Amino acid sequence: MTSSTRTTDRRWIVAAILGCAIFVTLGAWAYGLFDGMIDLQVYRMGGSVLLDRESLYDAQLPGSGLPFTYPPFAAIAMVPLAAVPWGVALVVWTTISVLCIGLIWRASLPETAWSLLPGQWRERRIVVLAALTGLSLLLEPVWQTIQFGQINLLLTAMILLDLVRPANAKWRGFWVGVTIGVKLTPLPFLAFLLITKQWRAFRNAVLGLLATMAIGFAVVPNQSWEYWTVVIRNANRVGGLAYTANQSFMGFLSRLGDDASWVEPAWFVLSAVFGLAVLWLARRFWLADERVTAISVMALAVLYASPVSWSHHWVWIIPLGVSLIRAVNRQWGYRPAVVTGILWYGLFVLRSIWWVPYRDNRELSWSFWQSIPGNSHLILGMIAFLILAYTSRSLPKPAHAEAPSTV
C-alpha cells in the first residue's frame, strides 16, 4: 500500500468518526434519545452514586426505579460518563457503540470476503465497513443496544478482538476477563479457553477478572462484598424473566410455566446439556482454525444459559451470521450462502419478537403461533447451531489436539 493510499485511508477513518458523531447527535435529537437511553442513565447513576459516596445497590433511577445490577468495577468505569453533561455522555457513548459495530465486522470478515470486491474497493475497506455499520443499525439487537445506551457492542468487540489475536499476543485473554468484571454474562468464555487448551489466555482472563474485583474492593469494599455475596444471586433484580425481550432458556421456560417449581431445574438441565454441546462444537471449529466461528458459537452458550439475555444481548448475530454464511458456502455453495445471509440478517431486521402481546405478563397466555415470533431469536439461534454442527463434519481434522498458534 502506498503512502498516498494510507493517507487517504486515514482521512476515511477520520471522516467515519466524524460521521458517527454527527449521526448519533442528529439521531438522538430526531428520535428523542436525549430523553431515553435508560441503560446509559443507569450506568451514569452508578458512577454518580460512587462520586456521592452513597449505597450503589440501594440506589434506583428516578422515574423508573431501575437499580444498578453490574459489578462495582462497572460503576467505577462509568464515573467519567457521570462527570460530564448528559448530552456529551450520550454522544460519546453512542459513537463508541457505532464504531464497535465496524470493528466487529472487521474482525468477523475473512480475507476471502474482501477478495470478492473489485480491485479498487479492496483498498477502501473503510467504506464497506461504514456501509455495513449503517445497515447493521436496522438489526433489532443492534438498534436496541443503541436505543437503550447498552454496553453490549463494546463488550462483544472487546471479546472478539481479544481472542482472534495470535496465541502469542501479549496479554491475550486479559480483556475477556475485564468484560466479565464489567458484566458477568461472558463468564462461559473461561470454559471455552480451558477446553481449547489456551492456558495463557485463560490465565490472563482470570487475572483480568481478579484485577476488576481488586479495584472494586479497593474503591468500594463494602459494596463489593455486597455484590459478590448477595446481589449476584438475585436474577430477578434485572427484570421480569418472562418478558418477551428475555431471549434465553429461562425466558422461554418462564413464559411456559411462570414461577412453577419445575422451571428452574429444567433451565439448569437445558443449559448444562446445551452448554456441553456448544463447548464441543466451539472446540471443533477452534482446532480447525475457524476462530470467529468458534467464538460466535461459544456466545450462543452465553445467550441461552444466562437467566436473562435481553434481545440487545444478541448483537453476537453479526459474527454468527458471517460464520453461518461461510459454513453454508463451504457445504452447499455460493447461492445458498447468499440466501442464508439475506434470511439471517433480514429476519432480525423484522423485529418479530415485538409482534406479539407483551408486558403485564401477557406472554404467559401466548398461543402456539404467537410463541414462534415471540421466541424467534432463540429459534434462529438454534437453527444456526444445528447448521454449524452439521457442516462441521467437513472441517479438516487437526493434526493434534492443540489450539492453532496463528490467526
Side-chain angles (χ1 to χ4, degrees), residues 185-224:
T185 48
L187 190 62
F189 277 98
L190 292 181
F192 168 70
L193 295 176
L194 280 178
I195 201 170
T196 51
K197 299 182 179 181
Q198 301 180 68
W199 311 123
R200 182 185 299 176
F202 175 79
R203 179 205 65 188
N204 292 340
V206 172
L207 289 175
L209 172 58
L210 292 177
T212 65
M213 295 176 66
I215 292 172
F217 276 100
V219 176
V220 281
N222 293 335
Q223 294 171 77
S224 293

Side-chain angles (χ1 to χ4, degrees), residues 172-187:
R172 180 177 171 275
F174 181 83
W175 295 108
V176 172
V178 172
T179 64
I180 299 171
V182 171
K183 190 173 185 177
L184 291 180
T185 48
L187 190 62

